[in-house]
Amino acid sequence: MPFFETIESASDVRKRELEKRNPTAAPPKKRIPSTIRVSENVPKAKIRILHVLSSIDLSGMQAHIMNLYRNFDRSYIQFDFLIPRDPTPTGKEFPTSDELLRYRRAGFFDAEITRLGGHVYAIPVYSSRNLFGYTRLVDNFFAEHEGEWKFVEGHMYSAASIYLPLAKKHGAITIMHVGSVIDAELVRRIRSANMTAPILKEDCADICFASSVGAARALFGDITVDAGRIHVIQDGINIQNFLYNGKIRDAFRSKLGLDNTFVFGCVAQFHKNQNHEFLMNIFAAIKSILKEDVVGEYDTIKNLPMKLLLIGDGEELNNIAQIASELEILDQILFLGTWGNVYDFYQIMDYYIYPASVNGAPASLMEAQASGLPCIASDTISEDINLTGLISYYSLSNPPKAWGYLILNEMIGMGITSHLKASDDGYYDYDTLMNLHRLLSEKDNENESPPRFDQKSYLLNRSASPQMIERIFENAGLGIEQEVNFMTNLYQNIEK
C-alpha cells in the first residue's frame, strides 16, 4: 500500500475518534482536493488584508498564516499575498505581477489560497542596485490597487521600509510582523544596515506585532520592546491535531519500518540558521558514545535501534545529506520532505532535538510539546514557550558530544531500555490519574508535606498526557481559535 494511504488512514482515525467523543456533531464537509483550483463561494469580505511574504511555500510563518486564514470567517476577513520573484526569466528588469507569476512554479499553498478566495501577486526581488526602479514599481502596484486592502501586513524585513510607507500612502493601515523566530545572522545584518529604525517611524508601520518576546527583542532591541512599541501575540496552534494519538503512531511507525525503534526528530526547513549540520554531529556523537561505552554506563540502551527523522526542505538539504554520508549515519536518517499533515509525524517521534541558531519561540517546539515529546533546544530559544517543562535548554557553545551525553542521560532517566516494546498502552483516564495522585499525596501526619507533583514525569507518559497538555495550552491562550478571535477583534477595533 502506498505511503500516502497511511496518511489518509490517520485522518480517518482522527475523524472516528471525534465522532465517538461528540456523536451529535455535524459530519464534516467533504474535503476539496488541494490540487483543484476552484474558489469557494465566499461573499465579498468586509476586510481584505495583503500579506507581504518571502514565498507561499510550506514554512513556519507561511504555515501559521494559512492556519489563521482557514479559521477566520472569510465572509468578513480575506487574505491576499504579495511575494518577491526573480525577474530574470521574464527578460525584463521590472516586469508586472502577471508576468512574474507566469514564469514561476506554483507554491505549496497556491491552490488552497485560490480555493479560499485569496489572490497571489508578485513583485521583483529587491536589491540595493534596483532601489529607484523597485520603489517606482511598488508605488504603481499600490496605486493600481488603492482602496482594495484595509491592511497591508509585512513579514519581509529587508524592504519593509520601502513597501509599507507606499502602502500607507495609498490608504492602507500598515502592520509590521516579526515571526516567532528570527535568524541571529539576519539580526546582525539588519542592525548593521540600520533597517529597524525606518520601520518604527510613523510614516512606515502603524503597528508592530511579534510572535515572541525573544524575536522582538532580537530585532528591535530591549528599549523599544520595554517602551511598549511592539505588541506580542504568540502564535496559536490546532491543539487537537498535535495531541498524542497511539493509533496514528502505530500506523505510521509500522509503515516506515520503525516498530521498536527509538526515533529522534526535528521539523525545520533546511536553512543555515536551523543548524542541521550540528544536528548531524549530535546524532553521530550519540551513536559513537554508545559504541565506545566500555564501562557499561549505557548498557540498557546500547542495543536499542535508533533513527533520526527529519521533516523539511530547503537549499541545504543536499549538503546535509552529504555530511550525513561522511559521518556514516545516512542509512539511519529519514529525510521525509514537507507535509501538510506535519502533526501526524510528531506521533512517530520519541525525542525532539532543535539546535537552531535562532532567537524566539519556534512553532515546532510548541507542536512537539503538544505531542508530549521530551525536547532539547539551543539556549537562544525563549524559555517562555516551555509551558509543559518538557524542554531542556543547552548552549551551542557545547560540542555535539556534550549534547549527545545529555540526551542519553535523559533517556536513561526516562526509563528507556532496549528490552521495552514500542507499543501503545492505550489512553489513561486523566481524572482517575489525578485522583490517584491526590490520594498518594495525602499527608501521613500533620508535620509532613505532600510530595510535589512532577508534571514533566507525568507528561512523559504520552498516552496519559493529552488532556493535561490541552488544558495547559488553552489556559495559555495558545489555541488557534483563541488567536483567531483575538485577531478578529483587533482588526475590528483598528478599523474603527
Side-chain angles (χ1 to χ4, degrees):
M1 181 169 64
F3 183 59
F4 72 85
E5 291 186 26
T6 305
I7 296 170
E8 290 299 315
S9 71
S11 300
D12 292 340
V13 167
R14 291 188 189 280
K15 276 190 272 186
R16 282 197 302 273
E17 292 186 351
L18 180 63
E19 288 166 2
K20 283 181 184 177
R21 291 196 301 270
N22 188 9
T24 61
K29 293 180 181 178
K30 187 175 180 180
R31 179 179 173 273
I32 302 173
S34 61
T35 52
I36 298 178
R37 291 178 172 268
V38 180
S39 296
E40 289 183 350
N41 184 22
V42 179
K44 187 176 180 180
K46 185 176 180 182
I47 297 174
R48 289 196 85 92
I49 300 168
L50 179 70
H51 289 275
V52 185
L53 288 159
S54 59
S55 75
I56 48 173
D57 287 315
L58 183 57
S59 192
M61 172 72 75
Q62 287 83 343
H64 179 67
I65 290 171
M66 289 302 297
N67 203 12
L68 287 173
Y69 191 14
R70 296 179 196 110
N71 285 278
F72 271 123
D73 176 359
R74 291 185 297 281
S75 66
Y76 186 78
I77 293 174
Q78 261 292 346
F79 285 0
D80 294 320
F81 300 84
L82 180 63
I83 58 173
R85 304 306 304 170
D86 179 8
T88 305
T90 69
K92 298 180 180 180
E93 187 177 5
F94 298 108
T96 65
S97 174
D98 287 342
E99 289 170 331
L100 283 166
L101 293 175
R102 197 175 301 136
Y103 285 93
R104 77 174 186 114
R105 66 167 182 82
F108 186 89
F109 293 114
D110 261 73
E112 186 178 9
I113 289 168
T114 302
R115 181 166 55 81
L116 296 178
H119 304 100
V120 178
Y121 302 91
I123 51 175
V125 174
Y126 166 72
S127 75
S128 57
R129 295 188 303 276
N130 68 356
L131 171 62
F132 296 108
Y134 177 88
T135 303
R136 186 170 58 252
L137 185 142
V138 174
D139 189 25
N140 290 339
F141 174 82
F142 283 116
E144 290 171 12
H145 295 274
E146 189 161 327
E148 192 167 332
W149 298 298
K150 180 70 69 174
F151 299 93
V152 172
E153 189 164 336
H155 308 274
M156 285 199 315
Y157 316 121
S158 58
S161 58
I162 299 173
Y163 65 76
L164 286 180
L166 292 171
K168 191 170 184 176
K169 170 187 171 183
H170 293 286
I173 297 168
T174 53
I175 299 171
M176 185 70 226
H177 182 257
V178 181
S180 57
V181 296
I182 186 164
D183 178 17
E185 175 60 23
L186 177 62
V187 169
R188 187 194 64 76
R189 292 203 309 269
I190 288 174
R191 285 190 168 177
S192 65
N194 198 27
M195 290 179 188
T196 56
I199 293 172
L200 293 168
K201 287 182 178 178
E202 289 184 4
D203 66 345
C204 189
D206 292 306
I207 308 159
C208 287
F209 288 145
S211 296
S212 73
V213 175
R217 291 189 183 279
L219 186 62
F220 294 107
D222 293 337
I223 294 174
T224 303
V225 174
D226 292 338
R229 296 286 307 279
I230 314 298
H231 305 278
V232 177
I233 304 170
Q234 215 165 345
D235 293 345
I237 63 172
N238 285 320
I239 302 168
Q240 287 293 332
N241 284 350
F242 291 94
L243 294 176
Y244 177 76
N245 187 308
K247 294 175 183 176
I248 292 174
R249 172 181 168 87
D250 286 350
F252 272 64
R253 286 172 69 94
S254 176
K255 182 56 62 175
L256 290 170
L258 296 173
D259 293 328
N260 304 320
T261 300
F262 193 86
V263 180
F264 298 101
C266 182
V267 177
Q269 293 300 88
F270 283 82
H271 303 318
K272 282 279 188 185
N273 62 9
Q274 297 299 324
N275 218 4
H276 281 89
E277 181 174 352
F278 196 82
L279 175 57
M280 295 301 106
N281 282 285
I282 292 172
F283 186 58
I286 288 171
K287 306 296 284 188
S288 173
I289 291 167
L290 292 175
K291 186 176 181 181
E292 298 167 3
D293 178 29
V294 293
V295 297
E297 186 177 359
Y298 300 108
D299 274 355
T300 56
I301 56 176
K302 186 171 289 185
N303 297 318
L304 180 66
M306 296 180 184
K307 296 276 188 179
L308 175 60
L309 186 153
L310 301 175
I311 301 293
D313 205 345
E315 71 276 1
E316 284 290 300
L317 177 57
N318 290 337
N319 180 44
I320 297 304
Q322 179 61 37
I323 290 170
S325 178
E326 292 168 2
L327 292 170
E328 299 182 353
I329 55 173
L330 185 60
D331 62 334
Q332 297 158 66
I333 300 176
L334 293 104
F335 294 93
L336 295 187
T338 54
W339 293 83
N341 61 323
V342 65
Y343 40 81
D344 287 325
F345 290 88
Y346 285 101
Q347 310 299 327
I348 300 171
M349 302 174 193
D350 297 293
Y351 196 104
Y352 194 80
I353 308 176
Y354 191 78
S357 56
V358 296
N359 300 97
S364 65
L365 276 170
M366 302 296 288
E367 295 162 357
Q369 287 182 88
S371 297
L373 285 169
C375 311
I376 185 168
S378 51
D379 62 0
T380 58
I381 302 302
S382 171
E383 293 192 12
D384 294 340
I385 67 166
N386 193 8
L387 302 175
T388 60
L390 289 171
I391 304 176
S392 301
Y393 294 89
Y394 208 45
S395 174
L396 290 173
S397 63
N398 293 309
K401 199 158 193 174
W403 282 66
Y405 276 115
L406 183 62
I407 291 167
L408 289 170
N409 289 337
E410 280 212 350
M411 289 173 63
I412 296 293
M414 289 161 53
I416 304 296
T417 74
S418 306
H419 312 295
L420 291 178
K421 296 289 185 183
S423 60
D424 175 44
D425 55 357
Y427 285 95
Y428 291 98
D429 179 74
Y430 174 83
D431 294 316
T432 299
L433 283 167
M434 293 306 292
N435 288 333
L436 178 62
H437 163 69
R438 282 190 284 270
L439 180 66
L440 295 173
S441 299
E442 288 181 359
K443 294 181 287 186
D444 291 332
N445 60 66
E446 293 181 358
N447 296 322
E448 287 185 7
S449 298
R452 182 174 173 272
F453 177 54
D454 185 350
Q455 177 174 291
K456 181 174 181 178
S457 295
Y458 177 84
L459 294 180
L460 285 174
N461 183 350
R462 291 175 74 188
S463 57
S465 67
Q467 279 188 285
M468 182 179 235
I469 285 177
E470 185 175 8
R471 294 183 192 185
I472 289 170
F473 273 76
E474 288 181 347
N475 288 341
L478 293 177
I480 191 66
E481 299 86 358
Q482 293 164 294
E483 185 182 0
V484 164
N485 292 336
F486 179 85
M487 293 303 295
T488 300
N489 292 332
L490 189 68
Y491 290 133
Q492 288 173 335
N493 291 332
I494 294 172
E495 187 195 14
K496 294 173 184 177

